[in-house]
Amino acid sequence: MKTGNIFNWSVVVALAGFLFGFDTVVISGADQTLQELWGTSALFHGTVVMSMALWGTVIGAIFGGIPTDKLGRKKTLFWIGVLYTVSAVGSAVVSDPYLFSFFRFIGGLGVGASTVAAPTYISEIAPASRRGRLVALYQFNLVFGILMAFISNYLISQAGLGDDAWRWMIGMEAFPAFVYTLLTFGVPNSPRWLAIYKGDEAEANRILTIINKESDEPTSLAQILEDTDKAERKESIFDAKYKFPLLLAFLIAFFNQVSGINAFLYYAPRLFKEAGLEESSALLSSIGIGITNLIFTMLGLILIDRLGRKTLMYIGSVGYIFSLSMVAVSFFLGLKGMAVPGFLFVFIASHAIGQGAIIWVFISEIFPNHLRASGQSFGSSTHWVLAALITMFMPRVLTAVSNPGYVFVFFAVMMVFQLLFVWKTMPETKGISLEKLEEILTRKEKANINA
């Protein structure tokens, strides 16, 4: 199997995922420090300081399809890098919660837009046989960014920087963000975007020629244009013919967040302290979470085009139910030490090999070419609205409930419903061209792809 241009372009674009992961988790190391520094209530801290980036992410995801279609995938990715860089520098130098939240909001815009533009771009240049693992590079970089944020936070916390340690934690993101912004100049435009939105068939064909040299299933410009010519340009993802892919995008994103993954990643050190670990041990355990996440994401990346999307979702769902149930039991029984972190490691592994590896791949596959960015935006928006709500209320919930175990019972029950969704509704998309998937899903020929 050849690699080369397609792989290199995919890696560069997927680095947006590294910044996504780093930006999302880096604040966990400054969580309690910032609340104490600014003397804010649990509600204000959760709603404004901790969640403002997520509300930026929601806005970025909702409207990210617009620049992705109008400016193009490549230019949108460049401006995402700019947003990350400005956010990291601004958040690190301010001295009040309002300006801090403003700059975190800007970074959130970049996160949300990246979950639209990056998977859309990679899915449009990838051969069907490798599309799963190439798009999953975005998720791999995401969890690598999470791990680097945990390691960075731990090392900075041990560096004796005193009251300014949180500034270094938050500001560290500016370095990879700047490098990524420069690298985006080296990737070409998506040939499908060029053909459909710009009408530049010559450039689209030139890039397709390069891509087809590395593909076992060449795609012709005629195939892309034939599919698009049939579609009314005023179509919306909310048209009746697209209700099945719309339902799939909503459910995959909904279940991703009601697993509790973002709530846990944001508040990992706090949850570990609830389980009886010292602060330094809690931060160190967070690094263990990052390593587990990375290893099992790599495994998911290897298996996604071999076993398929559904099989990995089955594995992840069962792992979710077991691990979340055992975390709840551990809290109810008052088990201390490594009991809670141990089961949370299983939870992270289950997420990484299942939902983590699948979500951005799956959403990028199920919508037609001319609506892919809009569909990706809808799925990402659903994901991030729920992430923002859960993260916003998590400090309040942890304070209100008599035992954190009740929170994990809720997440476990939700994962039972996810298992039913995978069994009854989710189609298998492995190895099928984007154009063929459009034909199958819009005609709801689910029997052809559920085998």
Side-chain angles (χ1 to χ4, degrees), residues 50-237:
M50 293 297 287
S51 294
M52 193 54 68
L54 280 171
W55 288 116
T57 301
V58 170
I59 301 301
I62 290 173
F63 296 105
I66 296 174
T68 301
D69 282 343
K70 300 297 183 183
L71 298 179
R73 285 59 162 141
K74 176 180 176 176
K75 284 186 179 179
T76 302
L77 290 164
F78 165 79
W79 285 108
I80 286 167
V82 172
L83 290 173
Y84 279 130
T85 306
V86 171
S87 171
V89 174
S91 300
V93 301
V94 298
S95 297
D96 71 80
Y98 298 100
L99 280 175
F100 178 86
S101 300
F102 169 75
F103 282 108
R104 288 288 294 165
F105 179 83
I106 290 176
L109 292 175
V111 171
S114 81
T115 61
V116 177
T120 296
Y121 179 92
I122 299 172
S123 72
E124 291 182 344
I125 67 167
S129 63
R130 289 188 284 156
R131 189 174 60 239
R133 57 184 178 273
L134 286 175
V135 179
L137 284 172
Y138 179 78
Q139 179 68 16
F140 172 80
N141 276 277
L142 190 162
V143 300
F144 186 51
I146 290 173
L147 174 60
M148 289 299 100
F150 280 140
I151 291 175
S152 175
N153 284 350
Y154 177 74
L155 293 176
I156 291 172
S157 74
Q158 302 299 305
L161 296 173
D163 293 340
D164 285 333
W166 70 270
R167 297 185 186 276
W168 288 96
M169 289 180 183
I170 301 296
M172 196 59 65
E173 183 185 355
F175 299 103
F178 181 70
V179 171
Y180 164 76
T181 305
L182 295 179
L183 289 175
T184 59
F185 287 106
V187 300
N189 281 301
S190 158
R192 286 178 166 89
W193 176 79
L194 285 168
I196 295 169
Y197 287 94
K198 294 292 286 183
D200 191 345
E201 296 182 19
E203 179 66 5
N205 201 50
R206 185 187 73 81
I207 298 170
L208 269 178
T209 301
I210 297 172
I211 290 172
N212 285 335
K213 288 178 181 178
E214 302 176 27
S215 174
D216 295 334
E217 317 86 12
T219 300
S220 70
L221 186 61
Q223 286 175 286
I224 297 172
L225 293 174
E226 178 186 4
D227 168 68
T228 308
D229 286 343
K230 296 175 184 176
E232 294 292 337
R233 292 307 299 269
K234 293 183 180 180
E235 276 188 338
S236 162
I237 57 170

Side-chain angles (χ1 to χ4, degrees), residues 387-403:
L389 289 172
I390 291 171
T391 305
M392 181 173 68
F393 290 110
M394 192 68 174
R396 180 106 180 200
V397 170
L398 289 174
T399 302
V401 297
S402 58
N403 192 306

Side-chain angles (χ1 to χ4, degrees), residues 112 121 163 234 272 325 355 433:
Y121 179 92
D163 293 340
K234 293 183 180 180
F272 288 153
S325 299
Q355 268 276 10
S433 73

Side-chain angles (χ1 to χ4, degrees), residues 264 268-269 271-290 292 322-323 326-327 329-331 334-347:
F264 170 60
L271 286 169
F272 288 153
K273 287 179 71 176
E274 289 272 356
L277 296 184
E278 298 294 330
E279 183 170 356
S280 60
S281 298
L283 282 170
L284 199 56
S285 294
S286 297
I287 296 176
I289 290 294
T292 302
F322 168 76
S323 58
M326 293 309 298
V327 170
V329 168
S330 298
F331 273 117
L335 301 180
K336 299 296 183 180
M338 291 304 295
V340 168
F343 289 123
L344 284 172
F345 283 9
V346 178
F347 165 71

Side-chain angles (χ1 to χ4, degrees), residues 251-446:
L251 289 175
I252 196 82
F254 173 82
F255 285 121
N256 183 284
Q257 281 306 298
V258 295
S259 70
I261 183 63
N262 262 50
F264 170 60
L265 290 176
Y266 263 62
Y267 297 106
R270 182 176 295 207
L271 286 169
F272 288 153
K273 287 179 71 176
E274 289 272 356
L277 296 184
E278 298 294 330
E279 183 170 356
S280 60
S281 298
L283 282 170
L284 199 56
S285 294
S286 297
I287 296 176
I289 290 294
I291 293 172
T292 302
N293 203 356
L294 184 68
I295 291 171
F296 281 87
T297 297
M298 290 176 65
L299 184 58
L301 191 149
I302 292 168
L303 297 176
I304 191 170
D305 286 322
R306 299 181 184 182
L307 300 182
R309 288 57 160 154
K310 285 194 71 165
T311 300
L312 294 188
M313 284 292 288
Y314 276 126
I315 295 169
S317 297
V318 172
Y320 271 145
I321 294 166
F322 168 76
S323 58
L324 289 166
S325 299
M326 293 309 298
V327 170
V329 168
S330 298
F331 273 117
F332 287 136
L333 296 180
L335 301 180
K336 299 296 183 180
M338 291 304 295
V340 168
F343 289 123
L344 284 172
F345 283 9
V346 178
F347 165 71
I348 286 292
S350 303
H351 174 81
I353 201 170
Q355 268 276 10
I358 299 301
I359 181 171
W360 308 118
V361 176
F362 188 72
I363 297 174
S364 74
E365 295 175 320
I366 58 179
F367 290 96
N369 288 322
H370 63 294
L371 294 174
R372 181 162 298 111
S374 298
Q376 191 79 28
S377 179
F378 172 80
S380 297
S381 301
T382 303
H383 173 280
W384 287 114
V385 166
L386 288 166
L389 289 172
I390 291 171
T391 305
M392 181 173 68
F393 290 110
M394 192 68 174
R396 180 106 180 200
V397 170
L398 289 174
T399 302
V401 297
S402 58
N403 192 306
Y406 291 109
V407 177
F408 289 93
V409 168
F410 169 79
F411 292 143
V413 171
M414 289 298 101
M415 292 303 92
V416 173
F417 287 112
Q418 175 177 275
L419 184 59
L420 293 174
F421 156 70
V422 176
W423 176 37
K424 289 291 188 180
T425 308
M426 183 181 178
E428 180 56 76
T429 58
K430 177 186 72 170
I432 305 173
S433 73
L434 295 175
E435 286 70 30
K436 182 60 177 176
L437 278 172
E438 174 185 354
E439 180 183 342
I440 293 170
L441 291 174
T442 56
R443 293 181 181 179
K444 295 189 282 187
E445 297 174 0
K446 291 185 287 181

